[in-house]
């Protein structure tokens, strides 16, 4: 997984009726865009250190804009 500040981290729900989460990647702490990332979650506004697992993917700002009208 590779990302840059300004990209979006998308995490699919892992349980029935669990919503998808998305957050703006503020900082990248791994080499060459790899995790961990500092992410500001859109639903809560909180910032957390994240090491994504299965069910997570990265969208560029342009992809996010097209997919979600942001």
């Amino acid at each position: 997984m590779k990302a840059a500040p300004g990209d979006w981290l998308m995490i699919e729900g892992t349980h029935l009726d669990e919503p998808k989460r998305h957050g703006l990647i503020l900082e990248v702490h791994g080499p060459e865009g790899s995790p961990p990332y500092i992410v500001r979650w859109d639903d809560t506004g909180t910032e957390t250190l994240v090491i994504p697992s299965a069910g997570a993917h990265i969208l560029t700002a342009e992809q996010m804009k097209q997919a979600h009208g942001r």
Side-chain angles (χ1 to χ4, degrees), residues 2-24:
K2 303 285 184 196
D7 289 346
W8 288 82
L9 177 64
M10 307 297 290
I11 298 182
E12 304 292 331
T14 57
H15 298 94
L16 185 62
D17 296 327
E18 187 176 51
K20 295 179 184 180
R21 288 191 83 195
H22 51 278
L24 179 63

Side-chain angles (χ1 to χ4, degrees):
M1 182 171 289
K2 303 285 184 196
D7 289 346
W8 288 82
L9 177 64
M10 307 297 290
I11 298 182
E12 304 292 331
T14 57
H15 298 94
L16 185 62
D17 296 327
E18 187 176 51
K20 295 179 184 180
R21 288 191 83 195
H22 51 278
L24 179 63
I25 297 174
L26 303 174
E27 299 176 20
V28 175
H29 289 273
E32 299 179 17
S34 63
Y37 307 126
I38 301 291
V39 174
R40 181 184 311 123
W41 296 106
D42 213 30
D43 58 348
T44 63
T46 59
E47 295 179 11
T48 58
L49 180 70
V50 179
I51 300 173
S53 60
H57 58 278
I58 302 294
L59 293 178
T60 64
E62 183 61 31
Q63 290 169 323
M64 182 67 166
K65 183 178 178 181
Q66 290 175 0
H68 298 280
R70 293 182 178 263

